[in-house]
């Protein structure tokens, strides 16, 4: 999602203010954050990899960890499995192979070793300790539940028996509060046999589901599932300069954005080195999931609706909240703002903040904390947005101010078998 680009009538609306001035502010602040390409061995010094995690400083991770590390929250990573790297030692709980559970293949039900490296990348970005030179998770107190499904390409017609529904139910039954999907496909996947019921089951059990919007904007930009399903939060990716990735998919199913470009990720299932290309929105989804975990851990009595609403209300944006961007939805996740206020008002527990998008009949009323006049100190209303223009697109993208003491820097079937409803005609 490019910042300020309206989903209403499909128009691209420039963000308010002086684009040039804001772009210069970003350039000064983030120029030193740009990272060179890397291919790092897993035993490299921790600084080598973690220094490339450019978002940790702007998001004020160290400060957030003084309040919450995500402890007590289980995040299920549904994808190609999770390999227990040194950074994930002690962080991974027993998981489930969905193919085995469905009796589609023979094998161990609990063998969830990663077949591509993508699931492990997401797990490290969420809960990694950084040991052994690995990635440092944004929520290192989280425990990961790996739920393995087959790898599937974005344009590959999946098998009708693809076990996504089984994976979702297994994640819920394993005690996950958050499900992070690392797989995506332009076809409806996993809904032919019980998919609708599985997603509804997750909602009924109070589980928050998050997925990347996809990385094929230049290849037709066809909606990607599961991000386009109702009740799944779609997350886009932006880079060190605040520009939405040119490959990050956009549309009415995009709800939030998070860092995703030029972030190290495992190259493959040999786990010999990290790369910086591929799967930008998988990274963004993982960081959004970690953000939700930080908030939920600090407020364990909140519901999924309240956790999501708090992230929406405090998201970094320089456009009207009631006119979300096709490229970044309600804006970029900023859990720091929620954590800074122990008395944060997250609104009603039983009202879905994305009710209209999810096709529910009664959209929610904005909670008190959503009003610019009642924001808590340090919230969106005190932050000056900055705009950076993507190199190969004519829309503007968002960079976020992250606090008064900091410079302006980047961060800042039926039913489920149909795409999320548009917010406006």
């Amino acid at each position: 999602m490019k910042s300020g680009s309206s989903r209403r009538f499909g128009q691209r609306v420039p963000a308010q203010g002086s684009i040039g001035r804001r772009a210069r502010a970003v350039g000064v602040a983030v120029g030193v954050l740009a990272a060179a390409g890397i291919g790092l061995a897993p035993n490299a010094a921790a600084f080598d990899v973690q220094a490339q995690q450019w978002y940790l400083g702007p998001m004020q991770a160290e400060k957030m960890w003084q309040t919450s590390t995500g402890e007590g929250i289980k995040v299920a990573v549904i994808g190609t499995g999770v390999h227990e790297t040194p950074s994930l030692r002690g962080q991974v709980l027993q998981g489930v192979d969905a193919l085995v559970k469905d009796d589609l293949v023979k094998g161990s039900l609990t063998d969830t070793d990663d077949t591509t490296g993508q699931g492990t990348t997401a797990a490290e970005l969420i809960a990694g300790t950084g040991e052994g030179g690995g990635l440092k998770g944004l929520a290192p107190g989280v425990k990961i539940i790996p739920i393995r499904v087959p790898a599937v390409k974005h344009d590959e017609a999946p098998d009708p028996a693809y076990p996504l529904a089984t994976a979702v139910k297994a994640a819920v039954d394993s005690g996950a509060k958050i499900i992070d999907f690392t797989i995506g496909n332009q076809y409806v996947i996993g809904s032919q046999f019980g998919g609708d019921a599985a997603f509804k089951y997750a909602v009924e059990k109070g589980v928050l589901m998050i997925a990347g919007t996809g990385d094929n904007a230049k290849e037709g930009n066809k909606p990607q599932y599961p991000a386009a399903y109702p009740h799944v939060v779609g997350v886009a990716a932006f880079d060190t300069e605040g520009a939405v990735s040119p490959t990050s998919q956009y549309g009415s199913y995009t709800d939030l954005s998070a860092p995703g470009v030029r972030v190290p990720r495992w190259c493959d299932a040999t786990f010999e080195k990290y790369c910086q290309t591929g799967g930008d929105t998988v990274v963004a989804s993982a960081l959004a999931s970690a953000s939700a975990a930080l908030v939920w851990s600090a407020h364990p009595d909140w519901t999924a609706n309240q956790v999501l609403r708090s992230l929406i209300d405090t998201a970094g944006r320089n456009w009207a909240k009631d006119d979300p961007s096709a490229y970044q939805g309600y804006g970029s996740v900023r859990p720091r703002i929620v954590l800074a206020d122990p008395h944060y008002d997250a609104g009603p527990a039983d009202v879905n903040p994305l009710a209209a998008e999810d096709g529910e009949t009664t959209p929610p009323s904005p909670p008190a904390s959503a009003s610019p006049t009642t924001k808590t100190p340090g919230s969106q209303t005190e932050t000056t947005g900055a705009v950076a223009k993507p190199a190969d697109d004519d829309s503007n993208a968002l960079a976020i101010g992250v606090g008064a003491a900091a410079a302006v820097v980047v961060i800042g079937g039926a039913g489920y078998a149909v795409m999320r409803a548009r917010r406006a005609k």
Side-chain angles (χ1 to χ4, degrees):
M1 295 174 276
K2 272 99 178 172
S3 141
S5 182
S6 175
R7 285 191 276 202
R8 190 166 298 172
F9 313 116
Q11 295 174 333
R12 290 177 174 175
V13 181
Q16 296 178 354
S18 170
I19 294 173
R21 183 185 71 245
R22 290 176 177 177
R24 287 194 296 273
V26 174
V28 171
V30 304
V32 297
L33 296 176
I38 57 171
L40 299 171
N43 62 349
F47 175 80
D48 292 336
V49 172
Q50 291 166 24
Q52 308 304 321
Q53 293 182 262
W54 53 267
Y55 55 88
L56 289 176
M59 291 187 80
Q60 299 188 31
E62 293 282 352
K63 184 175 182 179
M64 289 195 295
W65 294 333
Q66 294 174 18
T67 301
S68 174
T69 62
E71 185 176 359
I73 303 299
K74 297 176 183 178
V75 176
V77 175
I78 294 182
T80 56
V82 173
H83 182 73
E84 191 169 295
T85 61
S87 185
L88 288 173
R89 193 166 294 132
Q91 301 295 85
V92 182
L93 304 177
Q94 181 173 290
V96 173
D97 185 308
L99 278 177
V100 176
K101 189 171 181 63
D102 268 354
D103 293 323
L104 297 174
V105 298
K106 300 296 182 182
S108 170
L109 181 64
T110 59
D111 179 5
T112 54
D113 201 24
D114 198 348
T115 59
T116 68
Q118 190 161 263
T120 304
T121 295
E124 284 193 359
L125 290 168
I126 295 169
T129 64
E131 291 297 318
L135 293 167
K136 181 73 172 178
L138 186 62
V142 160
K143 298 300 181 186
I144 298 293
I145 303 172
I147 309 292
R148 190 167 70 177
V149 293
V152 59
K153 296 180 180 178
H154 77 94
D155 58 354
E156 174 187 353
D159 189 296
Y162 189 88
L164 184 60
T166 297
V168 170
K169 191 172 187 302
V172 175
D173 291 343
S174 296
K177 299 288 284 183
I178 299 165
I179 294 175
D180 181 63
F181 295 95
T182 68
I183 45 95
N185 189 269
Q186 68 187 39
Y187 300 101
V188 174
I189 54 176
S191 66
Q192 290 88 341
F193 302 107
D196 290 7
F199 279 80
K200 290 176 182 176
Y201 179 68
V203 173
E204 290 168 358
K205 293 294 185 179
V207 175
L208 181 60
M209 296 179 284
I210 300 175
T213 56
D215 298 291
N216 306 288
K218 294 183 176 181
E219 300 173 46
N221 193 48
K222 295 182 179 179
Q224 295 289 297
Y225 299 91
Y229 286 133
H231 299 289
V232 178
V233 180
V235 184
F238 61 83
D239 65 16
T240 58
E241 294 184 354
V244 174
S245 167
T247 63
S248 184
Q249 292 182 237
Y250 54 90
S252 60
Y253 65 101
T254 309
D255 302 306
L256 291 167
S257 65
V261 183
R262 298 190 66 78
V263 176
R265 73 284 313 266
W266 287 108
C267 299
D268 52 41
T270 64
F271 300 101
E272 294 178 350
K273 62 181 180 179
Y274 290 96
C275 293
Q276 277 195 327
T277 57
D280 291 349
T281 62
V282 170
V283 172
S285 175
L287 295 178
S289 294
S291 296
L294 291 172
V295 169
W296 217 337
S297 176
H299 298 278
D301 57 331
W302 283 7
T303 65
N305 290 326
Q306 291 171 306
V307 171
L308 177 56
R309 184 179 295 107
S310 73
L311 293 178
I312 288 173
D313 288 351
T314 61
R317 57 182 168 267
N318 51 10
W319 57 91
K321 182 189 170 188
D322 63 357
D323 190 18
S325 162
Y327 294 90
Q328 295 204 63
Y330 290 97
S332 51
V333 293
R334 301 190 302 173
R336 174 189 62 82
I337 295 175
V338 185
L339 296 176
D341 181 4
H343 304 294
Y344 188 89
D345 177 9
D350 58 350
V351 177
N352 175 11
L354 296 177
E357 292 89 337
D358 292 338
E360 297 177 8
T361 55
T362 305
S365 299
S369 61
S371 170
T373 60
T374 58
K375 279 283 191 185
T376 53
S379 67
Q380 171 64 22
T381 55
E382 74 164 26
T383 301
T384 301
V387 177
K389 189 174 181 180
D392 57 354
D393 195 283
D394 62 354
S395 296
N396 300 310
L398 179 69
I400 310 160
V402 292
V408 176
V409 292
V410 174
I411 285 303
Y416 288 84
V418 296
M419 183 179 161
R420 296 266 296 279
R422 292 187 178 274
R423 289 184 167 88
K425 294 179 181 179

